[in-house]
Amino acid sequence: MTARSRGLLCVLALSLFAFPPPAGSHPFSVDQEALPPIQAGWSIRFLSPIGQEFVPAASSLDAVELMVGNGDLPGPADLFVNIRHTTIDGPIIGTSLLLTLPFGTGGLTHFDFPSAVPLIPGEVYVIEVVFAGSDTSNPGIAGGYQPPYSQGRAIILGEPDPFDDLWFREGPAMATSGNCSLRACRDEVLAACGSTHRLCMKRCTTLIRSRCMASECTCDSVRGTPGTCICL
């Protein structure tokens, strides 16, 4: 039985994906994505290990978005995401915060990570979706066949499936007005300069200062060195 036919046997009600999505957290810049029309759904509980390969261009990620629904059994579904290197059973390099999806809800679902997950651009990683709930729920995840994501495949029951992709987006955090991200700035310059290059900190300081001057951040000589800008 192929992963595609297993998906079609899943009891997931795809109509759930018209429901409003749970509220997301911090915004992020999309690095890799596969956005096929929703053509299939797979049980996260019964078809694990389940996930999606991707090849990043960015050097880190802070968030993953998936199409997830909880409409089979009446209990809430606890889920989290692992980022693994190379394969679905490869080393775990990052784990998202736990998310609880109430029964009868689904759609675009945002997973945040407590800290930036370091990535090596051009190498293969896997988004593994993990069911952490009880036998009172059976959440499903959605994807499709076309258009294919050229840099990865869905993984169903631990097996790569070249004909399917999960719907997904991933990427690093981005700075927002009023809540600038020093970490996003740091990650950007570290990727360009290297972790020991002093030019990185100079570039970062310059960027933060320019945001302060644009009233996107606040200069604070109490918490920082006088004359520098601190993102609050």
Side-chain angles (χ1 to χ4, degrees):
M1 181 182 292
T2 66
R4 183 179 300 182
S5 61
R6 284 196 297 266
L8 294 175
L9 290 174
C10 174
V11 291
L12 170 68
L14 291 179
S15 60
L16 280 175
F17 295 105
F19 284 26
S25 186
H26 59 245
F28 68 103
S29 299
V30 175
D31 176 39
Q32 298 297 306
E33 64 181 11
L35 310 178
I38 302 305
Q39 297 157 320
W42 297 271
S43 167
I44 301 170
R45 175 181 169 189
F46 292 110
L47 298 179
S48 64
I50 187 168
Q52 172 71 38
E53 299 171 333
F54 70 101
V55 177
S59 60
S60 65
L61 71 78
D62 288 270
V64 167
E65 289 184 337
L66 302 165
M67 286 289 189
V68 179
N70 182 25
D72 179 26
L73 301 178
D78 292 333
L79 302 169
F80 64 90
V81 166
N82 285 327
I83 302 300
R84 292 182 178 265
H85 194 204
T86 309
T87 63
I88 192 76
D89 57 356
I92 296 173
I93 60 172
T95 298
S96 76
L97 302 174
L98 187 70
L99 181 148
T100 299
L101 198 65
F103 174 69
T105 62
L108 181 63
T109 306
H110 183 104
F111 294 87
D112 278 328
F113 290 76
S115 60
V117 179
L119 305 172
I120 301 173
E123 296 200 358
V124 177
Y125 294 86
V126 175
I127 300 166
E128 179 192 20
V129 191
V130 182
F131 173 67
S134 67
D135 58 6
T136 61
S137 63
N138 178 26
I141 190 164
Y145 319 137
Q146 295 290 334
Y149 172 65
S150 63
Q151 300 191 84
R153 304 160 293 182
I155 298 176
I156 312 296
L157 274 176
E159 301 174 1
D161 181 349
F163 301 105
D164 294 309
D165 289 302
L166 300 186
W167 192 106
F168 81 94
R169 292 194 294 226
E170 63 80 26
M174 56 186 282
T176 58
S177 178
N179 185 27
C180 298
S181 171
L182 180 58
R183 186 176 76 197
C185 166
R186 180 200 63 199
D187 289 347
E188 176 184 345
V189 295
L190 287 181
C193 305
S195 60
T196 61
H197 204 300
R198 290 186 178 182
L199 180 60
C200 284
M201 290 303 102
K202 182 178 179 180
R203 285 182 59 191
C204 200
T205 301
T206 301
L207 179 57
I208 297 299
R209 184 176 290 113
S210 69
R211 288 174 177 163
C212 288
M213 294 175 66
S215 299
E216 294 178 355
C217 298
T218 301
C219 287
D220 188 341
S221 60
V222 176
R223 282 183 267 182
T225 303
T228 64
C229 294
I230 304 297
C231 280
L232 303 177

